[in-house]
Amino acid sequence: MALEGMPHSGKTTSITAIDKLKERGIILLNEIYFAKEHLKSLEDKKGTIVESKWFIDQEVKRRAEIIKNDLNSCKLILADRTYLSTLAYCYARSKLNKKPKEYEELKKYVNRKRIDFLEYDSMIVFDNDVVTTLNRRDDLGKEDVAYWNNQEFMVHFQNFYIGEINKFCQSKIIRLNVKDIGINDVISGILKYLNEEGIVLRDNVEVNKTT
């Protein structure tokens, strides 16, 4: 299962909370970040199709690492974001910059690579509105995150999860409206779904934080 959707909606916090409940048979996959050795080589490529393809390649590596494990006793693999986030980012960027060919190029790249991606049974998409997303940012002054602070960009990013996601995702999509609920309710929603799928974790986790 994977958590997807808008930034600052509680995905990583949920992963952290579920990590506190981790038991035998649960594998948690954190969000993909630049490793230090890659950051410098991609420094002048940030916000380009080269950067997007790098993230897609990491999805291939993610699966390769997972299949090295003995998964006989594994009952849940839970991922913080997938290749869909990279597509959403490129979709929004190409709309904002009026460069549709960039998104089309990445779609073709994804379709060539997707046979080597992890296949998720379900995706929980965190639905959040753009204004709330922007208000939750704590790094508005950083130049390297200019896209994430742009309202038009975030509208396009949200639209990907409304209209484009079904063109790529063959997993079961569960939508979780997180706009007006705290992180404990978000986690309860995830745990409820897991319970319905026969994966039972302790449900008494408390996270003293709101989304």
Side-chain angles (χ1 to χ4, degrees):
M1 186 175 82
L3 307 183
E4 269 291 352
M6 295 290 281
H8 302 285
S9 55
K11 295 180 299 299
T12 302
T13 304
S14 298
I15 290 279
T16 301
I18 290 175
D19 186 56
K20 296 176 182 177
L21 306 177
K22 192 163 65 172
E23 58 189 83
R24 180 178 172 84
I26 298 177
I27 297 175
L28 300 174
L29 304 179
N30 294 323
E31 185 175 355
I32 294 171
Y33 291 104
F34 286 116
K36 286 184 179 180
E37 62 270 22
H38 295 120
L39 186 59
K40 188 172 183 180
S41 64
L42 289 168
E43 191 170 0
D44 62 340
K45 303 294 191 300
K46 289 186 69 63
T48 70
I49 190 71
V50 174
E51 178 190 58
S52 296
K53 288 180 177 180
W54 182 88
F55 275 101
I56 295 302
D57 290 341
Q58 303 319 297
E59 294 290 344
V60 175
K61 292 180 180 180
R62 179 183 256 184
R63 176 177 178 269
E65 288 298 318
I66 283 294
I67 61 178
K68 289 179 182 178
N69 294 291
D70 178 8
L71 300 180
N72 289 330
S73 61
C74 179
K75 56 184 179 180
L76 172 67
I77 297 175
L78 181 61
D80 185 359
R81 293 197 178 277
T82 70
Y83 69 97
L84 293 170
S85 290
T86 303
L87 279 165
Y89 180 82
C90 184
Y91 175 82
R93 190 179 66 229
S94 67
K95 288 284 187 180
L96 183 68
N97 297 332
K98 296 180 173 53
K99 294 182 177 180
K101 290 184 179 180
E102 201 172 86
Y103 179 57
E104 293 300 319
E105 181 180 346
L106 188 65
K107 284 199 298 184
K108 292 177 182 178
Y109 193 75
V110 166
N111 286 330
R112 290 199 303 270
K113 298 272 186 172
R114 65 187 307 165
I115 192 172
D116 295 317
F117 294 164
L118 282 171
E119 293 184 16
Y120 296 97
D121 295 303
S122 55
M123 296 262 182
I124 296 184
V125 176
F126 285 37
D127 286 327
N128 198 9
D129 69 286
V130 170
V131 172
T132 302
T133 294
L134 291 173
N135 286 342
R136 286 175 179 165
R137 292 203 63 85
D138 59 3
D139 49 9
L140 294 175
K142 295 182 180 179
E143 295 180 2
D144 60 342
V145 290
Y147 282 125
W148 297 109
N149 303 325
N150 184 301
Q151 184 167 352
E152 182 184 350
F153 174 87
M154 292 310 305
V155 167
H156 294 311
F157 193 88
Q158 183 182 48
N159 286 341
F160 175 89
Y161 288 104
I162 295 172
E164 287 285 305
I165 188 172
N166 290 322
K167 297 178 182 179
F168 303 95
C169 183
Q170 299 176 346
S171 310
K172 178 181 179 182
I173 295 178
I174 302 98
R175 293 192 174 271
L176 184 61
N177 188 335
V178 300
K179 178 187 175 186
D180 297 315
I181 64 176
I183 191 62
N184 288 307
D185 291 324
V186 172
I187 295 165
S188 294
I190 296 172
L191 296 178
K192 180 182 178 182
Y193 174 71
L194 290 175
N195 186 56
E196 290 170 354
E197 295 296 310
I199 301 171
V200 181
L201 302 177
R202 297 197 329 270
D203 60 0
N204 60 345
V205 64
E206 286 292 329
V207 181
N208 296 319
K209 181 179 178 181
T210 58
T211 53

